[in-house]
Amino acid sequence: MPSYEVSSIATVVGGHTQVLDDYQGGVRSIIRLNDEYPLETLQGIEEFSHLTVTWRFHRARPEDVQLHARSPRGDARWPATGTFVHRNHRRPNQLAISFPRLLGADGRDLHVTDLDAVDGTPVLDVAPYFQQMGPRGPIRQPAWPGEMLAPTYWSDASERP
């Protein structure tokens, strides 16, 4: 099986300090581009409202990976689904993709909100979100993701009990 070496291009600064399932909304953080990249690599980014950010679950351990079907969040109300049906750190490469709102850019700092990564997270890639590159056609999914995420995932973090 081929393997690839990937280096981070940026780091998340501030924002969430704990890995938690819900109340991810309303938190501001910075994606700080590494010094080795010239500032012009961000030229034009402020024209976009949202970013596509690929990041690594850096607090996860290799032994966290689970290659079997399980109920989301261990909740038996939802069906057991396979590893590649979940969006958490138990995936083999422990990678995530998020779509934070870009508030502005200041030098190497991209100010964002609604990034569900924690302080210190290595960022592997940043790109503007192009609406035309989003899903095409009707979106289909079972009920459980909405049941699991809709109530509180993007609720403002200040509302956390």
Side-chain angles (χ1 to χ4, degrees):
M1 179 179 329
S3 64
Y4 303 91
E5 185 173 318
V6 178
S7 299
S8 65
I9 59 143
T11 304
V12 175
V13 177
H16 298 286
T17 57
Q18 298 178 42
V19 177
L20 299 168
D21 282 336
D22 293 308
Y23 297 94
Q24 298 292 322
V27 173
R28 291 177 177 227
S29 56
I30 294 170
I31 298 170
R32 182 162 292 151
L33 189 67
N34 295 350
D35 289 338
E36 67 216 53
Y37 297 101
L39 286 176
E40 68 182 298
T41 60
L42 295 175
Q43 186 174 324
I45 196 101
E46 286 187 90
E47 295 183 46
F48 293 87
S49 65
H50 290 78
L51 302 174
T52 302
V53 179
T54 305
W55 51 275
R56 187 163 193 291
F57 289 105
H58 72 294
R59 292 189 182 173
R61 301 163 303 165
E63 56 268 22
D64 292 338
V65 173
Q66 294 182 4
L67 301 178
H68 57 83
R70 64 194 182 284
S71 294
R73 295 188 181 177
D75 191 325
R77 290 179 298 166
W78 302 313
T81 52
T83 301
F84 296 118
V85 181
H86 294 257
R87 294 181 55 97
N88 59 35
H89 69 285
R90 293 178 180 89
R91 310 169 62 70
N93 288 318
Q94 297 176 317
L95 298 178
I97 297 175
S98 297
F99 304 95
R101 186 163 40 106
L102 178 62
L103 302 173
D106 180 23
R108 300 184 171 286
D109 292 348
L110 299 175
H111 296 264
V112 298
T113 189
D114 301 335
L115 176 62
D116 49 349
V118 298
D119 181 49
T121 296
V123 174
L124 304 178
D125 197 26
V126 172
Y129 180 81
F130 290 178
Q131 188 174 14
Q132 292 78 4
M133 299 292 289
R136 295 173 44 108
I139 307 248
R140 181 184 73 246
Q141 69 180 32
W144 67 263
E147 294 168 5
M148 177 179 71
L149 299 172
T152 55
Y153 191 81
W154 288 115
S155 292
D156 197 282
S158 65
E159 299 170 9
R160 183 179 298 282

